Amino acid sequence: MKETVHIWDWPLRLFHWLLVVAVVGAYVTGKLGGDLTEWHGPIGALILGLLIFRILWGFVGTKHARFASFFPTFGRLIAYFKGNWQGVGHNPVGALSVIALLIVLATLVGTGLFANDDIAFEGPLFNLVDKSLSDRLSGIHALALDVLMVLLALHLAAIAFHHLVKKNNLVLPMLTGKKRVPPALASSVPSVGALRFLMTVAISSTLVWGIWSGDLADYFKPIESLQTAALRLGW
């Protein structure tokens, strides 16, 4: 006998599905180019905001959204592979997938801030580095995209495996927030505090706006000056 409990809070679910749409949009606009290129940057800004939100929410969100609740420690991984792990949120292997996806997406967005395509796209921080460094970061950006495609393929394969073999639907809980679990593990998450959600959104939006509007670029000018001086000295 299992009980239905609420495990995924709505901000986490909203983040998840907005990220899915944004990643697809960034991939399409980046690959097709043309007039769609002008949308690549704004979509990248959305992804950056979502990533900042998720990192913050990993510390202030509800129980199962917090990194501390699912971080794949060595002990948790050993327990999982021995069949002794018990939990209702991300299992340790799923947690590895989540963290890997966040790292790769952060690499994509971070390099995209300085990247260029020699045609129509320049990241909002492109002018803070020389062209050769921008080109190298653009190469890393492309490599990170390939890595992301592999991770997404593995992610989808894992979802299919759980659904078809283990009879465990992972998609539905991310839509409804609810999951059927053994009574011993039945503990619903508390309600989301409006203040912490709004504060998290405000911080994320402010950081993204500062980057894209150029306000934060002023803080990088000393670094830019040092880089220019180093190049002139042949360092």
Side-chain angles (χ1 to χ4, degrees), residues 8 12 54 64 69-70 85 87-95 98 174:
W8 302 125
L12 180 66
R54 181 63 185 96
H64 300 299
S69 72
F70 65 84
W85 178 82
V88 297
H90 295 300
N91 65 54
V93 174
V98 170
M174 194 53 70

Side-chain angles (χ1 to χ4, degrees), residues 2-10 13 61-65 87-89 176-192 196:
K2 291 186 176 183
E3 297 181 20
T4 300
V5 296
H6 197 127
I7 62 168
W8 302 125
D9 59 52
W10 66 264
R13 287 179 282 134
T62 55
K63 179 180 178 181
H64 300 299
V88 297
T176 65
K178 299 177 181 179
K179 185 178 181 179
R180 291 184 59 78
V181 301
L185 300 176
S187 176
S188 293
V189 298
S191 61
V192 175
R196 61 177 165 176

Side-chain angles (χ1 to χ4, degrees), residues 53 56-57 60 193-206:
F53 173 86
L56 294 174
W57 202 246
V60 303
L195 180 60
R196 61 177 165 176
F197 170 73
L198 292 176
M199 287 295 293
T200 305
V201 171
I203 294 172
S204 304
S205 302
T206 300

Side-chain angles (χ1 to χ4, degrees), residues 115-195:
N116 76 94
D117 66 356
D118 288 319
I119 302 174
F121 177 79
E122 291 180 353
L125 302 182
F126 170 78
N127 292 326
L128 295 181
V129 299
D130 61 79
K131 181 62 164 56
S132 61
L133 179 55
S134 175
D135 288 341
R136 289 197 294 273
L137 292 173
S138 299
I140 296 174
H141 187 74
L143 177 61
L145 177 61
D146 293 337
V147 175
L148 178 64
M149 292 299 102
V150 173
L151 289 178
L152 289 178
L154 292 173
H155 186 65
L156 293 174
I159 291 174
F161 173 78
H162 274 268
H163 183 70
L164 298 174
V165 178
K166 304 189 74 172
K167 307 302 179 182
N168 181 18
N169 191 331
L170 299 179
V171 176
L172 188 60
M174 194 53 70
L175 288 169
T176 65
K178 299 177 181 179
K179 185 178 181 179
R180 291 184 59 78
V181 301
L185 300 176
S187 176
S188 293
V189 298
S191 61
V192 175
L195 180 60

Side-chain angles (χ1 to χ4, degrees), residues 11-73:
L12 180 66
R13 287 179 282 134
L14 181 62
F15 155 81
H16 181 275
W17 296 113
L18 282 177
L19 186 64
V20 170
V21 173
V23 168
V24 171
Y27 180 83
V28 171
T29 55
K31 286 296 183 181
L32 296 184
D35 293 338
L36 292 176
T37 302
E38 64 183 76
W39 288 98
H40 193 68
I43 294 174
L46 173 60
I47 295 176
L48 174 60
L50 289 170
L51 289 177
I52 295 173
F53 173 86
R54 181 63 185 96
I55 292 172
L56 294 174
W57 202 246
F59 294 97
V60 303
T62 55
K63 179 180 178 181
H64 300 299
R66 298 189 179 191
F67 296 126
S69 72
F70 65 84
F71 190 81
T73 63

